[in-house]
Amino acid sequence: MNEIAFLTPDPDVLARREAIVAGLADLVPTEALVTDPRELVPFETDAFTAYRRVPLAVVLPGTTEEVAAVLAYCAEQGVPVVPRGAGTSLAGGAIPQEDAVVIGVSRMNRILEIDHDNRTCTVQAGVTNLAISDRVAADGFFYAPDPSSQLACTIAGNIGMNSGGAHCLKYGVTTNNLLGAKVVLLDGTIVDLGGKALDAPGLDLLGLLCGSEGQLGIITEATVRLLAKPEGARPVLFGFDSSEVAGACVSEIIGAGIIPVAIEFMDKPAIEICEAFAKAGYPLDVEALLIIEVEGSEAEMDDMLARIIAIARRHGVASIKESQSATEAAQIWKGRKSAFGATGRIADYICMDGTVPLGQLSHVLRETYRIVAGYGLRVANVFHAGDGNMHPLILYDVNDPAEAEKAELAGADILKLCVDAGGCLTGEHGVGIEKRDLMLHQFSETDLNQQMAVRAAFDPGWILNPSKVFPLSFSRQGAS
Amino acid sequence: MVAEARGAGRTLAIAGAGSKAGVGQPVTADAAIASTGLAGIVEYNPEELVVVARAGTPLADIEAALAENGQALMFEPADWSRLLGSNAGQTIGGIAATNMSGPRRILAGAARDALLGVRFVNGRGEAIRNGGRVMKNVTGLDLVKLMAGSWGTLGLITEVAFKVLPRPETEVTLAVDGPGAADAAKLMARAMGTSAEVSGAANLPGPIAGRVLADGRAGRPTTLLRLEGFAVSIAERIGRLTPQLGAGHDIAQLDAAASQRAWAAIRDVAPFADGTETPVWRISAAPMAGHAVAADILGQTEGEAFFDWQGGLVWLRISGEDPQADRVRTSLAAHGGGHALLVRTGEDARARTSVFQPEPAPVAALSEKIRSSIDPDGVFNCGRRPFASVRRAA
Ligand SMILES: Cc1cc2nc3c(=O)[nH]c(=O)nc-3n(C[C@H](O)[C@H](O)[C@H](O)COP(=O)(O)OP(=O)(O)OC[C@H]3O[C@@H](n4cnc5c(N)ncnc54)[C@H](O)[C@@H]3O)c2cc1C
Ligand SMILES: Cc1cc2nc3c(=O)[nH]c(=O)nc-3n(C[C@H](O)[C@H](O)[C@H](O)COP(=O)(O)OP(=O)(O)OC[C@H]3O[C@@H](n4cnc5c(N)ncnc54)[C@H](O)[C@@H]3O)c2cc1C
């Protein structure tokens, strides 16, 4: 297998393990410190499970002040720190290393304030994404970014990865819905960025923090924007005889001035996998499926759907299925939202996450099939067609090292293809360790040096989540 | 040119078209570098919802190209040139560098939310690319956000990629009679809390309403609520919205043309574009706090104010010459904090006053380190912002 390299743990840090653990024990209550080898197991990887390393220790603080004390201590001791939310990163963003202390915010899970008039919600960083919407639903509000992992993933992790979801087409991703954050800097300083005002003064540090993958500071609280829940929502299934036609249909819908809340695309293998699992009523005799969701009152949805259906008919749509009830709507989304889980039941897979300009979707899809077939493997595609975020799932057998290597090579080829088509390596999952070494395909050395210089303004010694995002050979860590 | 200036220890001022030359501490620079030579749309495929252009491209050119395809920059960039008494057109790079957003920001986000990618020259004279031209991108650090709103203090932006969207088919604005600013804040909060997708919410006291609205309502305190989209949908949403506004209000409807005129006036701060140099503040507070900040300031000094962004954007004009920065900032701090930018004032006051909102010390220190990581020798726009390491011009 084409192994991703880990840094050699710092022998000096390893040798001081007992003293470091004792130092941590002085800073947090006993229940917040995890050192027992068996209890460390859940923290040795995230959702990028092919790689695991047991960390030196895990701290699960209960307050911002505890985070500050622990971070300042680790920085002073020269001990690497890996910030962690729920550990659902698909890119290995929260995978630790043997000489690192994991600081997890999962115990900081209180909703601190709901402000309906200003439409904000302030939460501790370990609150799960879905918990916010659940809490404000009865009052007619919701929090828009909705990653498929929303039941488990935390706001901290969402900010770390700038996560998105199926409804981003209309509502944007995390960075567009985040108003403020409390952040602990490396030396233990606590700063508040942004707040309830829409514009923040000075440089947009909050924007920089979003998607920084735990390299700049540790987020302990967040203030997010709440939105009023629409009157109703209706997803509709459109089956097409070819992916190209489905793609052309999407272009024309958008060209006609219609922005649905979501346009999700599935190819035939994905349709079959999801239907077998979720029994969502997906048509099995088509090559491509679009789930298009519209929102509003019955009259508004009827109006918008009439426009969309007229366009789809002009493109020779093979089948149309409107959901007639909330249960049917939930079924349709269940199929889509369980795509990863359902695929996992039939085969091992790696999930890619490249984005491409909308006009390149068909081309990239065609090339993806060619690339994967070239390695003798299979691929299923589900993606957010409205914003060009592709998720090819490359199927392989994890027990066959040759196949595993081919899957990784095919994945890398696909991501390079996305970049060459004018897109980028990752739309929402992040770089982590997974795509670290592909960064030079998208950026020049000068580009990366500038990013690393900005990173160093926060963390000159590469203490925070080292060896992520930037190519090992290239970062200061790798050089030493 | 940048590398050369750095080598020679000289400093550079960055200029777009000069429309906001009057904002900020006067730049002290040995030379100016204008982006207006870097003009032209680089790429625009309407069905991809992205426009890529060189930084010096006039905003008017971009808007014309978009309009031809029924599209628009959804953040509705404002034009302060009349307010500032200049007749310069704006450049798209200046829009990005100032994060210039209009009334639709409450629904559609700011310029920074639509800015997908930038190319810029840093203080080392290196050409840097960040972001791209796709809607979703988390590849590496998001320097795009840093450049948005940096006012030329980090580097020279040479190219920008903006997300565009279909221009709404039509629009209607509900003009609600009264109420005063505090009750209007509650009314606007109720409106924004409905599913009507209000895309503009402003409150104008009587005299200012008179300068914004030409019809029979002129001169009466008015709260404006804008709805945009397909006509059918607007009608439906008016039906949902009106019952929430409470009884006893006289509600008029401005048609598309009148609505457009009113919001352009609010966006461009037309009520204060009076050809004078009286101080004008742009205060960004929590939506429910805006009216209290304004009342606090206007209780102590003479002037007038109106409110955009559901009450959270306060435009405040102070009578006389003294911008009264301390008073403005103390009031803002007392009401939950935010951001006060002194947009207009006389040359003398400008040199003496902290035009940009001062930041807490640790944040300022961090910003300073970031600036150093991009422009280590402080080549760009010295003086415009109160950075600690600002060098004097040679
Ligand atoms: C089944 C499944 C479906 C998914 N679907 C989506 C999807 O639709 N869209 C999407 O965008 N992602 C998706 N993901 C990926 C993942 O859920 C997101 O990246 C999520 O935001 C991670 O949150 P987390 O709490 O698990 O963070 P973690 O995995 O623990 O951490 C993620 C990153 O954030 C950093 N971090 C964590 N906490 C902090 C903190 N307090 N301060 C600073 N940095 C911190 C970490 O160091 C790491 O780099 C999916 C994952 C799975 C397993
Ligand atoms: C031809 C000309 C010569 C000048 N000479 C001098 C001089 O010698 N000394 C002096 O002190 N002042 C000078 N100025 C004024 C000074 O440069 C401006 O105050 C300042 O640069 C603001 O730019 P702007 O008014 O064009 O505003 P806008 O174009 O609206 O720009 C607003 C802000 O955005 C920044 N900005 C605009 N375009 C970019 C870009 N492409 N990349 C990064 N940031 C950008 C600007 O620096 C400014 O902070 C000059 C202006 C012009 C037009």
Side-chain angles (χ1 to χ4, degrees):
Chain A
M1 182 137 174
N2 192 15
E3 280 285 335
I4 293 176
F6 275 73
L7 293 173
T8 318
D10 182 344
D12 173 52
V13 170
L14 293 182
R16 285 187 288 132
R17 179 170 193 270
E18 270 178 39
I20 292 166
V21 167
L24 292 171
D26 287 342
L27 302 173
V28 291
T30 327
E31 70 270 17
L33 182 60
V34 183
T35 54
D36 182 290
R38 271 168 316 176
E39 289 173 37
L40 287 176
V41 170
F43 299 94
E44 65 182 18
T45 189
D46 51 21
F48 190 55
T49 52
Y51 294 88
R52 11 189 116 230
R53 290 291 184 276
V54 182
L56 188 117
V58 173
V59 190
L60 303 172
T63 65
T64 300
E65 289 68 29
E66 284 174 20
V67 171
V70 171
L71 189 54
Y73 175 75
C74 291
E76 176 202 293
Q77 296 288 318
V79 179
V81 170
V82 177
R84 184 180 177 101
T88 66
S89 165
L90 292 166
I95 288 183
Q97 54 202 55
E98 294 90 334
D99 58 0
V101 169
V102 170
I103 301 183
V105 290
S106 56
R107 280 181 58 230
M108 299 177 66
N109 56 9
R110 280 191 302 128
I111 292 180
L112 300 173
E113 190 202 6
I114 293 167
D115 180 345
H116 286 130
D117 283 346
N118 285 311
R119 283 171 300 118
T120 62
C121 178
T122 303
V123 298
Q124 288 186 322
V127 166
T128 64
N129 174 294
L130 193 58
I132 299 179
S133 290
D134 281 350
R135 179 67 174 277
V136 298
D139 302 315
F141 291 93
F142 73 112
Y143 173 61
D146 58 340
S148 305
S149 53
Q150 69 188 142
L151 190 61
C153 66
T154 64
I155 285 293
N158 291 176
I159 298 170
M161 289 305 189
N162 192 14
S163 300
H167 293 83
C168 293
L169 176 59
K170 177 163 176 198
Y171 297 116
V173 296
T174 302
T175 191
N176 312 118
N177 291 278
L178 179 69
L179 290 168
K182 196 182 275 303
V183 186
V184 181
L185 303 178
L186 195 59
D187 64 0
T189 310
I190 300 165
V191 295
D192 286 298
L193 303 177
K196 291 183 184 177
L198 285 181
D199 268 7
L203 295 180
D204 186 1
L205 302 186
L206 194 60
L208 181 65
L209 195 74
C210 236
S212 64
E213 307 198 18
Q215 301 182 94
L216 305 183
I218 295 194
I219 301 144
T220 61
E221 285 178 19
T223 297
V224 300
R225 190 162 87 121
L226 298 178
L227 295 179
K229 261 200 310 198
E231 291 275 282
R234 210 187 294 161
V236 180
L237 295 173
F238 293 87
F240 290 90
D241 293 331
S242 91
S243 299
E244 263 88 1
V245 178
C249 183
V250 171
S251 294
E252 199 175 322
I253 290 169
I254 289 171
I258 305 167
I259 300 293
V261 262
I263 306 183
E264 297 289 298
F265 181 109
M266 293 175 134
D267 69 0
K268 194 176 181 72
I271 299 168
E272 284 168 357
I273 291 167
C274 293
E275 179 60 18
F277 175 79
K279 310 272 180 302
Y282 293 170
L284 293 169
D285 55 349
V286 295
E287 286 299 314
L289 190 69
L290 294 178
I291 301 173
I292 300 185
E293 181 158 277
V294 294
E295 280 181 352
S297 64
E298 291 301 321
E300 285 172 281
M301 294 193 288
D302 288 344
D303 175 59
M304 202 176 272
L305 276 176
R307 292 166 197 263
I308 292 172
I309 288 171
I311 292 170
R313 290 243 156 84
R314 274 210 297 286
H315 286 270
V317 63
S319 68
I320 300 177
K321 181 164 188 269
E322 289 188 50
S323 61
Q324 305 295 347
S325 66
T327 325
E328 278 185 32
Q331 271 309 102
I332 289 177
W333 276 114
K334 184 172 173 229
R336 165 63 185 87
K337 291 225 168 191
S338 58
F340 292 0
T343 307
R345 286 158 60 107
I346 64 152
D348 306 300
Y349 71 90
I350 51 173
C351 170
M352 296 291 113
D353 170 46
T355 52
V356 297
L358 297 182
Q360 297 288 324
L361 277 173
S362 296
H363 161 72
V364 170
L365 203 53
R366 248 192 335 267
E367 286 297 296
T368 296
Y369 292 133
R370 203 184 53 73
I371 289 170
V372 177
Y375 285 102
L377 297 174
R378 286 188 304 148
V379 64
N381 281 284
V382 292
F383 56 88
H384 315 300
D387 40 31
N389 192 180
M390 320 228 357
H391 288 315
L393 304 176
I394 305 172
L395 312 186
Y396 71 106
D397 175 0
V398 78
N399 296 315
D400 178 346
E403 264 207 4
E405 179 167 357
K406 281 186 200 163
E408 282 199 12
L409 292 172
D413 286 355
I414 291 171
L415 293 183
K416 288 181 181 169
L417 166 71
C418 290
V419 173
D420 295 341
C424 66
L425 292 173
T426 169
E428 55 183 20
H429 295 166
V431 178
I433 58 169
E434 186 199 18
K435 281 155 277 199
R436 191 178 64 192
D437 295 307
L438 291 172
M439 287 289 271
L440 278 164
H441 197 80
Q442 182 172 336
F443 295 106
S444 71
E445 291 200 11
T446 319
D447 293 338
L448 287 183
N449 273 327
Q450 180 60 80
Q451 289 183 33
M452 290 195 292
V454 171
R455 184 198 191 289
F458 291 80
D459 175 15
W462 289 73
I463 296 282
L464 273 165
N465 221 2
S467 76
K468 308 280 160 65
V469 181
F470 299 105
L472 264 203
S473 59
F474 202 68
S475 71
R476 285 225 252 142
Q477 274 284 320
S480 64
Chain B
M1 181 168 170
V2 174
E4 205 181 280
R6 180 188 184 219
R10 282 186 290 122
T11 58
L12 294 171
I14 301 177
S19 68
K20 283 171 281 296
V23 184
Q25 264 78 21
V27 175
T28 55
D30 301 319
I33 187 167
S35 67
T36 39
L38 288 168
I41 292 176
V42 177
E43 223 176 311
Y44 173 43
N45 301 314
E47 75 280 3
E48 296 195 341
L49 302 178
V50 177
V51 60
V52 183
R54 284 188 235 264
T57 314
L59 177 65
D61 291 6
I62 306 244
E63 288 188 326
L66 296 179
E68 232 169 75
N69 293 282
Q71 297 185 335
L73 294 166
M74 283 317 258
F75 57 90
E76 213 178 353
D79 181 354
W80 297 352
S81 52
R82 285 216 307 129
L83 174 72
L84 300 177
S86 94
N87 51 12
Q90 320 202 71
T91 63
I92 191 73
I95 295 291
T98 52
N99 190 26
M100 189 61 58
S101 323
R104 212 186 279 114
R105 194 232 182 290
I106 51 170
L107 184 73
R112 55 87 86 182
D113 293 292
L115 188 61
L116 302 175
V118 292
R119 286 172 188 263
F120 65 95
V121 177
N122 67 15
R124 296 181 190 84
E126 297 165 336
I128 306 291
R129 201 166 53 111
N130 197 263
R133 42 185 292 264
V134 287
M135 303 297 158
K136 285 163 84 183
N137 182 358
V138 291
T139 323
L141 288 183
D142 193 353
L143 306 185
V144 175
K145 297 290 184 302
L146 273 188
M147 298 308 290
S150 63
W151 288 81
T153 57
L154 295 177
L156 172 75
I157 301 172
T158 55
E159 188 181 289
V160 294
F162 272 111
K163 174 182 172 175
V164 301
L165 279 175
R167 167 193 294 275
E169 184 185 74
T170 185
E171 66 181 84
V172 169
T173 289
L174 301 186
V176 186
D177 207 18
D183 289 330
K186 290 192 200 114
L187 185 142
M188 289 189 283
R190 279 202 305 277
M192 295 299 297
T194 70
S195 58
E197 295 188 24
V198 173
S199 72
N203 173 248
L204 314 175
I208 288 177
R211 278 172 254 161
V212 169
L213 303 166
D215 67 355
R217 306 194 45 85
R220 284 146 66 194
T222 304
T223 301
L224 297 176
L225 301 168
R226 180 175 62 181
L227 301 173
E228 297 174 291
F230 294 116
V232 180
S233 168
I234 290 181
E236 281 285 310
R237 287 184 280 144
I238 289 177
R240 291 210 284 281
L241 183 57
T242 343
Q244 301 300 318
L245 300 180
H249 293 298
D250 171 22
I251 302 175
Q253 284 190 20
L254 308 186
D255 66 11
S259 171
Q260 269 165 23
R261 274 196 305 275
W263 289 102
I266 291 169
R267 183 193 69 194
D268 299 340
V269 212
F272 297 160
D274 49 12
T276 72
E277 280 195 341
T278 49
V280 171
W281 286 90
R282 177 186 180 280
I283 301 171
S284 177
M288 293 306 288
H291 69 89
V293 176
D296 195 350
I297 300 168
L298 295 177
Q300 307 175 59
T301 190
E302 221 165 290
E304 55 179 351
F306 69 95
F307 307 87
D308 193 1
W309 293 2
Q310 191 199 322
L313 182 69
V314 185
W315 283 104
L316 184 117
R317 188 170 70 98
I318 289 179
S319 312
E321 283 175 12
D322 179 0
Q324 316 215 30
D326 289 344
R327 183 160 290 166
V328 168
R329 296 225 161 90
T330 309
S331 297
L332 181 58
H335 291 94
H339 178 200
L341 174 73
L342 178 55
V343 168
R344 182 178 80 185
T345 192
E347 187 75 21
D348 284 354
R350 194 144 68 89
R352 275 184 279 110
T353 315
S354 179
V355 167
F356 292 94
Q357 178 76 24
E359 298 177 304
V363 177
L366 202 51
S367 296
E368 179 55 39
K369 281 191 214 160
I370 291 170
R371 172 169 150 103
S372 297
S373 74
I374 298 177
D375 180 11
D377 298 328
V379 172
F380 293 114
N381 277 15
C382 291
R384 177 167 281 268
R385 258 211 153 104
F387 279 111
S389 71
V390 161
R391 293 183 314 154
R392 290 285 105 197

